[in-house]
């Protein structure tokens, strides 16, 4: 059984009206899901948003699905329905048998027989998915699919608008703090956030995660703990899931009666789901955990003077491994001299060289700046060894105006190396004054003053294990309010 032309037409009218309403993202998506399911005479509908790294899908709107079905955990985008990522529709005739269904036992418990999913596309790229669920085995017609593709197009517009709102709100807050006019800055890793927190401490925790650029999902999965007569009698829903660390986090205060009850549930959960990594944490426990994972200095909720983390430790390490792979491939069979400029490059150099599968030697130079605006470069320490006839890779922490690089490259070329290339972790392209040839670039950085991971402001912050944006007031000599 399928919807008729008339029902599709009136559903689309309702859907576009909801899309153009002033409601929040979740309410709009719930309304779209309801109209879509009803028009298609389906039992449920779910609208999902892909996270910005296209790793997993987050539910942003639903109709007709039980809480358990929704809280069955974040869906791995590649395992879930890879065709969706490629921009194709997916039809699953039997949800309990098909290996593309990630939680078939839940589908079985919910009596879901068939699923039709179509991608939500933005300029040809999948940014989400809309899924239809039916209890009876169903063959979907061309008209059904065309209707669902049209709804997906409306969803793309809804997502784009919601993202723009979030971006503007974030930018407004940032520009208020900076006291300078609005300038759009990149969003943290998760884009669509339809979250309402049950408790203010959870919101604080989410803000802390945002500061560290750690992606989080709020209450994405419920774990049944006890059954009575075939029905679930007790469940446990941890507050957060952190995909990058693959841990579920339940927040707790120091109230002993709450801790005892939560510990009991956690013990049960670990017995029933031994593969699940779940922690009961107070805020200070969490900070210790961050330190262990290399995310931040021990005992500090936020680093004074740093507005927010731009690239966390894990992201820097991932990028460095990729750069090292490219360098190792390009110089295969050769020996390489890595030349670094002290001191900003120390962390980057140390990590990069450990991932190179080539014989390498190291050399360092040091420079100082003088002149009216510090625009004249002077070498205070030259190379220790000869680079004549050698393959040289100059390793830089950040290229800003390009003046330093230009000067050093001239200096190095005068020694007649066999080849001379440049690898920089950060490229602040917007500020370039002199064209600088960059062969390997870690990240193209926004026009902000950044610190950490070797980079300093007046000699400080080099020891941070991440790269963060310095509070703009500091470079203008303001006192910190905190
Ligand atoms: P350039 O000569 O303008 O390209 O600047 C290069 C040097 O300026 C870098 O090697 C850094 O030492 C410093 N620098 C430029 N931008 C930043 C920043 O955002 N944070 C920290 N140091 C920076």
């Amino acid at each position: 059984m399928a919807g008729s032309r008339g029902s599709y037409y009136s559903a689309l009218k309702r859907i576009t009206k909801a899309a153009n309403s002033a409601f929040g993202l979740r309410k709009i998506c719930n309304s779209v899901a309801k109209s879509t399911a009803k028009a298609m005479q389906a039992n449920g509908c779910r609208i999902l948003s892909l996270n910005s790294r296209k790793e997993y899908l987050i539910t942003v709107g639903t109709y007709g699905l039980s809480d358990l079905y929704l809280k069955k955990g974040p869906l791995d985008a590649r395992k879930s329905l890879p065709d969706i990522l490629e921009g194709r529709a997916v039809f699953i005739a039997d949800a309990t048998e098909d290996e593309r269904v990630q939680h078939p036992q839940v589908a079985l418990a919910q009596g879901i027989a068939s699923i039709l999913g179509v991608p939500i596309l933005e300029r040809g790229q999948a940014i989400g998915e809309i899924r239809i669920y039916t209890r009876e085995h169903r063959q979907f017609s061309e008209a059904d699919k065309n209707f669902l593709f049209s709804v997906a197009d409306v969803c793309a517009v809804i997502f784009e608008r919601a993202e723009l709102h979030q971006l503007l709100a974030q930018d407004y807050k940032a520009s208020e703090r900076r006291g300078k006019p609005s300038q759009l800055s990149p969003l943290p890793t998760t884009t669509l956030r339809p979250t309402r927190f049950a408790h203010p401490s959870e919101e604080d925790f989410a803000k802390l995660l945002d500061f560290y650029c750690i992606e989080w999902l709020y209450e994405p999965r419920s774990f049944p703990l006890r059954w009575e007569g075939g029905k679930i009698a007790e469940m446990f829903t941890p507050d957060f899931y952190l995909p990058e660390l693959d841990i579920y986090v339940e927040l707790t205060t120091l109230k002993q009666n709450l801790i005892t009850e939560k510990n009991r549930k956690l013990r049960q959960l670990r017995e029933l789901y031994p593969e699940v990594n779940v922690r009961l944490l107070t805020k200070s426990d969490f900070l210790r955990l961050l330190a262990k994972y290399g995310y931040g200095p021990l005992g500090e909720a936020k680093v004074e003077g740093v507005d927010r983390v731009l690239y966390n430790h894990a992201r820097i390490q991932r990028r460095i491994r990729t750069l090292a792979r490219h360098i190792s491939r390009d110089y295969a069979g050769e020996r390489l001299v890595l030349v670094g400029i002290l001191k900003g490059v120390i962390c980057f150099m140390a990590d990069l060289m450990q991932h190179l599968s080539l014989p390498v030697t190291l050399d360092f130079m040091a420079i100082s700046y003088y002149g009216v605006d510090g625009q004249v470069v002077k070498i205070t320490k030259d190379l220790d060894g000869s680079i004549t006839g050698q393959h040289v890779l100059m390793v830089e922490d950040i290229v800003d105006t390009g003046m330093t690089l230009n000067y050093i490259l001239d200096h190095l070329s005068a020694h007649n190396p066999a080849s001379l290339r440049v690898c920089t972790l950060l490229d602040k392209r917007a500020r370039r004054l002199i064209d600088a040839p960059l062969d390997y670039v870690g990240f193209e950085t926004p026009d902000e003053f950044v610190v950490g991971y070797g980079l300093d402001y007046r000699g400080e912050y080099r020891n941070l294990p991440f790269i963060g944006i310095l509070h703009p007031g500091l470079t203008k000599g303001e006192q910190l309010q905190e």
Side-chain angles (χ1 to χ4, degrees):
M1 214 182 1
S4 67
R5 256 184 189 205
S7 69
Y8 282 158
Y9 174 71
S10 35
L12 269 180
K13 250 174 75 176
R14 275 193 301 277
I15 286 166
T16 47
K17 199 160 193 69
N20 201 24
S21 70
F23 294 125
L25 174 70
R26 186 176 288 280
K27 200 161 176 182
I28 292 177
C29 288
N30 284 346
S31 162
V32 171
K34 181 174 176 181
S35 301
T36 308
K38 290 203 153 176
M40 295 185 75
Q41 295 172 3
N43 302 95
C45 176
R46 165 142 90 148
I47 298 171
L48 302 132
S49 151
L50 251 180
N51 76 319
S52 47
R53 287 210 290 270
K54 306 212 181 300
E55 292 155 338
Y56 50 82
L57 295 148
I58 308 155
T59 303
V60 287
T62 60
Y63 173 74
L65 297 165
S66 82
D67 221 31
L68 178 61
Y69 197 81
L70 294 174
K71 297 250 172 104
K72 62 188 180 157
L75 296 176
D76 184 318
R78 273 171 294 270
K79 272 195 224 146
S80 177
L81 300 175
D83 284 355
I84 294 285
L85 287 180
E86 304 292 321
R88 289 190 294 274
V90 170
F91 171 57
I92 291 177
D94 188 347
T96 57
E97 298 273 300
D98 199 302
E99 59 187 25
R100 291 172 295 179
V101 176
Q102 273 180 58
H103 305 274
Q105 72 288 9
V106 185
L108 185 67
Q110 292 290 300
I112 288 168
S114 301
I115 303 176
L116 174 66
V118 309
I120 296 172
L121 300 170
E122 185 188 55
R123 286 177 273 279
Q125 293 290 314
I127 55 166
E129 183 191 345
I130 179 161
R131 284 185 192 182
I132 284 294
Y133 303 85
T134 63
R135 290 218 178 89
E136 85 281 14
H137 289 278
R138 171 108 159 242
Q139 291 297 327
F140 291 95
S141 67
E142 276 310 299
D144 293 334
K145 287 182 197 160
N146 287 339
F147 171 70
L148 203 54
F149 269 108
S150 300
V151 179
D153 281 339
V154 178
C155 289
V157 178
I158 295 170
F159 282 14
E160 217 166 342
R161 205 171 65 147
E163 233 174 80
L164 191 65
H165 279 166
Q166 280 178 201
L167 192 63
L168 288 174
Q170 191 197 22
D171 188 54
Y172 179 72
K173 270 192 225 145
S175 56
E176 256 188 342
R177 257 182 298 143
R178 283 192 194 115
K180 70 176 184 186
S182 171
Q183 181 198 15
L184 290 180
S185 46
L187 272 176
T189 39
T190 304
T191 39
L192 290 176
R193 291 269 173 83
T195 306
R196 251 190 228 117
F197 295 97
H199 197 273
S201 68
E202 294 167 354
E203 192 162 356
D204 281 350
F205 185 73
K207 280 187 192 150
L208 192 60
L209 293 169
D210 280 345
F211 174 79
Y212 281 101
C213 270
I214 299 174
E215 204 157 0
W216 52 266
L217 301 176
Y218 183 62
E219 295 190 338
R221 181 170 177 186
S222 292
F223 296 90
L225 296 180
R226 197 162 48 80
W227 289 259
E228 268 167 23
K231 287 225 166 86
I232 297 164
E234 191 178 25
M235 291 210 293
F236 185 62
T237 309
D239 297 322
F240 288 89
Y241 176 62
L242 315 181
E244 194 139 356
L245 309 182
D246 189 25
I247 52 174
Y248 287 88
V249 172
E250 174 67 11
L251 291 180
T252 186
T253 57
L254 291 171
K255 279 190 194 144
Q256 199 48 50
N257 56 339
L258 285 179
I259 296 184
T260 314
E261 174 61 8
K262 284 186 177 177
N263 268 324
R264 178 189 68 78
K265 287 190 173 181
L266 251 63
R267 260 197 311 280
Q268 259 180 301
L269 194 156
R270 288 191 183 115
E271 271 167 32
L272 289 165
Y273 308 89
E275 75 288 358
V276 170
N277 188 2
V278 54
R279 307 280 179 94
L280 183 64
L281 297 179
T282 61
K283 194 170 164 191
S284 52
D285 291 335
F286 173 68
L287 292 170
R288 268 196 290 279
L289 188 79
L290 278 183
K292 186 179 145 203
Y293 280 95
Y295 274 101
L298 179 62
E300 282 181 275
K302 291 183 180 178
V303 179
E304 202 182 332
V306 175
D307 247 12
R308 72 178 167 85
V309 174
L310 190 58
Y311 308 114
N312 66 31
H313 187 72
R315 190 158 169 215
I316 296 172
Q317 295 304 319
R318 268 202 309 272
R319 188 69 194 125
I320 289 178
R321 281 196 291 275
T322 308
L323 287 177
R325 247 199 336 273
H326 292 167
I327 296 168
S328 303
R329 183 197 58 203
D330 294 351
Y331 288 91
E334 307 285 357
R335 306 178 77 81
L336 191 57
V337 186
L338 302 178
V339 174
I341 310 297
L342 293 170
K343 302 171 187 159
V345 80
I346 50 166
C347 296
F348 180 41
M349 180 74 106
D351 285 336
L352 180 73
M353 67 180 182
Q354 291 176 61
H355 294 288
L356 293 176
S357 53
L358 302 163
V360 298
T361 54
L362 301 186
D363 213 332
F364 291 96
M365 294 174 67
I367 49 172
S368 65
Y369 301 91
Y370 65 96
V372 189
D373 291 323
Q375 287 195 346
V376 185
V377 186
K378 184 178 142 204
I379 295 175
T380 54
K381 184 210 165 294
D382 207 341
L383 298 173
D384 290 328
S386 164
I387 53 163
T388 307
Q390 313 238 34
H391 294 290
V392 174
L393 182 64
M394 185 180 158
V395 184
E396 264 280 42
D397 48 357
I398 183 165
V399 179
D400 187 28
T401 61
M403 312 266 285
T404 314
L405 181 64
N406 186 57
Y407 181 82
I408 301 287
L409 285 180
D410 276 354
H411 179 78
L412 295 177
S413 317
H415 290 275
N416 295 319
S419 69
L420 179 58
R421 285 187 185 166
V422 180
C423 172
T424 181
L425 180 62
L426 305 178
D427 174 10
K428 217 193 272 181
R429 203 162 291 179
R431 291 201 8 117
R432 196 74 88 254
L433 294 178
I434 298 185
D435 193 26
L438 303 180
D439 301 280
Y440 306 96
V441 174
F443 303 99
E444 197 179 316
T445 314
D447 182 10
E448 307 267 9
F449 197 86
V450 291
V451 289
Y453 194 68
L455 290 152
D456 74 312
Y457 174 63
R458 298 192 169 166
E460 289 186 34
Y461 299 103
R462 291 196 200 276
N463 61 325
L464 299 178
F466 52 76
I467 293 170
I469 295 180
L470 192 72
H471 187 78
L474 275 184
T475 47
K476 292 187 212 126
E478 275 173 24
Q479 291 293 308
L480 278 175
Q481 301 287 302
E482 293 163 76

